[in-house]
Amino acid sequence: MLRVAVVGSGPSGVYTAQALLQQSRVPDVRVHVLDRLPTPYGLVRYGVAPDHEKIKSLQSSLRAVLEDDRITFVGHVEVGGPGGLSPARLKELYHAVVYCVGAAADRPLSVPGEDLPGSFSATEFVSWYSAHPDAAADGFALRAGSAVVVGVGNVAVDVARILARGADGLRSTDVPRAALDALGASRVREVHIVGRRGPSQARFTTKELRELGALPGARTVVDGADLALDPACAAPAGGPDMPPLPAVIRRNLEVLRGWSQNPPPAAHDGERRIRLRFFLRPVELLERGGQVAGVRFARTAPDGAGGVRDTGAYEDIEARLVLRAVGYRGTPLPGLPFDAARGTVPHLGGRVLRDGVTSPGEYVAGWIKRGPTGVIGSNRSCAKETVASLVEDAPLLVRRDVAADPLGALRASGLRPVEWDGWLSIERAEEELGRSLGRGRVKIPDWSGLLDAARGEGS
C-alpha cells in the first residue's frame, strides 16, 4: 500500500488526491489530506467572495473527492512552524508527501506609510468577511467616507464590490454576523480602484467587471481621460503596428467605455460610487492623526514599449481605508527548500529539489509549485503532472518503512486532528447559527468556536 500525505485541502490539494485515486499504475493507495485549519476547501471557503455562490458551489465537487473511502481529511494539523510537524517527520509517516500550501502572503506596495493604521492587504479584508479564524476581529475603517483599493485584478474588484454592496446584499450569504453588522454600519460612499498602468492592461475578468455596474444603490464611473491615454483603447481591433487585443480585454474596454464620463459626476446623496482610475502609481500613504489619510500617486503614461513612465505629476486621493491588491507570494515552509526570488519551492516536474537534486518522496503542486497564476481549474493539470512524477517513483517509495497508523502517531504526539465527522459537525453548527439569526448558514469566525463545534461542544 502506498501512503501519501497531501498538505493543504484547497483545490490543488483535493485535485492532487483525486489524481492519485484516478491513476491505475498504483491501485492500492491511501491519501491523508492534512490542513492547518479544521475546515477543508482552502480559498474556496476563505477566498471566494460570499456573493459568488456559483464559484462557492465548487465545494460540492471537492466534497465528493474528500468523501472517498481511500481519502482521510486530517484537519487542525500544522506542518512547519513552531510546534508543527516537520517535513522530516512527515517522511517518517508517509511514503510520499505533496505540499499544496498555496501562496499565503500579499505582495507589499513598498512605499512609505504602508504600515499606518487603516492600511491593510486585501487578503486581510477578505479573511475578515470570509470568517477566517486568523482574521483580525475588527479595525477596518468603515466609518470613513472614502476607500482606495490599489490593484486592477479580480481581488480588487471583489473587495470594492463588498464595500459598495453593503449589508443588504450580503444578508443571504454566509458572511459572519460581526462583519455583516459592520458593513451595515459602514459610511464608505466612494471606492477608488486604482492601477499604475492602463485599462487595456488590467486583469479583470469581464463578468467580475460587469458586476460592479449592477450593484443596487451604487454607480461605477471611469475617467474618460484615462481611456484616451491608452493607445489600445483607440484601436482594440489592432492596426498596422498593433496586434488585435485578446477578446477579454476588448470586452472589458467596451464595459469601461460605457461608464466613461469626463469629468466624472459627483455622487448623489446616499449613493455609493466606484471610481476606476488608471495610470496612477502609489508612492506614499499619507498620514493624519496617526492614521492613513490618503494616497499620493505619481501620474504615469504609456512608454511606447508596453510599460509606463512617470510624468512628473502627482495626485492625492483622500481615504481613511487603503487596501492593497497587487498580488500574492509564496512563503517559506520550515524544512523545505525555497526560491526566494520566485516565491516557490524549487522542483522538477513537481519533484522537490534540494540543492538541485530531486528529493525522494517530496513533491509540490499548486501555487507553491508554479506561483500565483491561473484560475482554480488550472490546478487540475498542475496536480496531474505532479502525480505522474509521484506514480513513476512509487516502486521505490513503497520500499521504505513508514508508520502503519499515521493518525495514531499524530495523536500519540499530542495532536488532536479534526477528521471528516468533525467537519460535518462544524457544518451543522453553522447551519444552526444561521437559523438562530434568521438567515441561511452563517460561518463560525473563530478558532475556539470551530474546534468546539468539531467536537460537539458549545451551543
Side-chain angles (χ1 to χ4, degrees):
M1 178 187 295
L2 178 68
R3 295 189 179 278
V4 181
V6 173
V7 181
S9 67
S12 63
V14 176
Y15 292 152
T16 296
Q18 183 179 44
L20 281 163
L21 299 189
Q22 290 175 338
Q23 57 78 36
S24 58
R25 291 178 59 182
V26 184
D28 195 7
V29 60
R30 295 295 182 272
V31 184
H32 286 181
V33 178
L34 278 59
D35 204 292
R36 184 178 70 88
L37 298 173
T39 58
Y41 311 138
L43 282 179
V44 177
R45 175 174 166 91
Y46 289 119
V48 174
D51 55 349
H52 278 178
E53 293 295 336
K54 184 174 181 180
I55 302 175
K56 288 175 72 68
S57 68
L58 177 63
Q59 292 184 22
S60 297
S61 61
L62 300 180
R63 181 192 194 100
V65 177
L66 292 173
E67 287 184 330
D68 190 286
D69 290 341
R70 295 164 292 177
I71 292 177
T72 302
F73 173 70
V74 187
H76 194 219
V77 172
E78 184 166 7
V79 175
L85 291 174
S86 69
R89 177 58 174 151
L90 283 178
K91 285 188 70 174
E92 295 173 353
L93 298 175
Y94 299 92
H95 294 113
V97 184
V98 187
Y99 295 92
C100 306
V101 293
D106 290 86
R107 291 186 179 277
L109 297 176
S110 300
V111 300
E114 185 170 7
D115 295 328
L116 285 168
S119 169
F120 301 90
S121 71
T123 295
E124 291 176 291
F125 189 59
V126 171
S127 293
W128 171 70
Y129 66 63
S130 297
H132 194 292
D134 290 340
D138 204 349
F140 297 100
L142 299 183
R143 293 194 174 275
S146 179
V148 166
V149 181
V150 181
V152 283
N154 282 346
V155 174
V157 169
D158 277 348
V159 297
R161 190 181 66 255
I162 296 299
L163 282 170
R165 184 183 286 281
D168 289 343
L170 296 171
R171 204 169 303 279
S172 63
T173 73
D174 58 9
V175 167
R177 176 170 48 181
L180 188 69
D181 290 346
L183 289 166
S186 171
R187 295 180 182 174
V188 175
R189 288 297 178 265
E190 189 162 47
V191 183
H192 302 262
I193 305 176
V194 188
R196 66 183 179 88
R197 299 198 293 177
S200 66
Q201 295 166 311
R203 296 190 175 185
F204 312 120
T205 57
T206 308
K207 178 180 179 296
E208 291 258 4
L209 194 59
R210 284 175 175 155
E211 285 179 329
L212 291 181
L215 292 175
R219 184 177 189 180
T220 303
V221 296
V222 179
D223 193 327
D226 289 349
L227 295 181
L229 194 58
D230 190 333
C233 292
D241 301 316
M242 183 185 299
L245 293 174
V248 63
I249 296 178
R250 293 201 303 272
R251 290 194 297 266
N252 286 351
L253 293 179
E254 289 176 6
V255 174
L256 294 173
R257 286 193 198 95
W259 296 335
S260 172
Q261 297 187 45
N262 194 9
H268 301 306
D269 289 344
E271 179 187 62
R272 292 185 173 95
R273 185 171 66 168
I274 302 170
R275 288 194 63 186
L276 283 145
R277 303 295 310 278
F278 300 95
F279 296 113
L280 292 172
R281 180 177 66 85
V283 294
E284 181 183 2
L285 270 62
L286 306 175
E287 180 266 340
R288 185 168 62 243
Q291 303 227 341
V292 162
V295 186
R296 177 159 294 160
F297 293 93
R299 168 62 72 175
T300 64
D303 64 3
V308 293
R309 57 176 176 81
D310 285 355
T311 65
Y314 293 87
E315 180 177 339
D316 293 350
I317 297 180
E318 181 179 342
R320 304 290 283 185
L321 174 63
V322 177
L323 302 173
R324 67 174 184 271
V326 292
Y328 298 99
R329 184 174 178 79
T331 55
L333 188 72
L336 276 186
F338 188 71
D339 183 337
R342 296 177 179 271
T344 58
V345 171
H347 70 94
L348 181 63
R351 296 179 175 96
V352 171
L353 294 174
R354 292 184 180 271
D355 298 321
V357 179
T358 57
S359 176
E362 294 185 309
Y363 304 85
V364 284
W367 278 3
I368 198 63
K369 170 187 173 184
R370 67 183 192 275
T373 60
V375 295
I376 290 175
S378 306
N379 292 297
R380 285 189 182 276
S381 56
C382 178
K384 287 179 179 179
E385 179 192 51
T386 294
V387 167
S389 296
L390 190 160
V391 169
E392 186 177 328
D393 300 341
L396 291 177
L397 298 177
V398 294
R399 296 179 186 176
R400 286 197 308 109
D401 290 331
V402 297
D405 180 14
L407 268 180
L410 294 179
R411 293 191 186 97
S413 68
L415 297 176
R416 297 182 65 191
V418 172
E419 296 182 56
W420 194 251
D421 283 347
W423 159 239
L424 296 181
S425 293
I426 292 173
E427 282 192 316
R428 289 192 293 271
E430 292 184 337
E431 290 165 357
E432 177 57 34
L433 175 60
R435 282 193 293 271
S436 72
L437 297 173
R439 296 169 56 193
R441 179 174 168 181
V442 174
K443 285 180 182 174
I444 297 171
D446 58 280
W447 276 100
S448 60
L450 288 169
L451 293 176
D452 286 349
R455 290 158 187 153
E457 302 169 3
S459 56

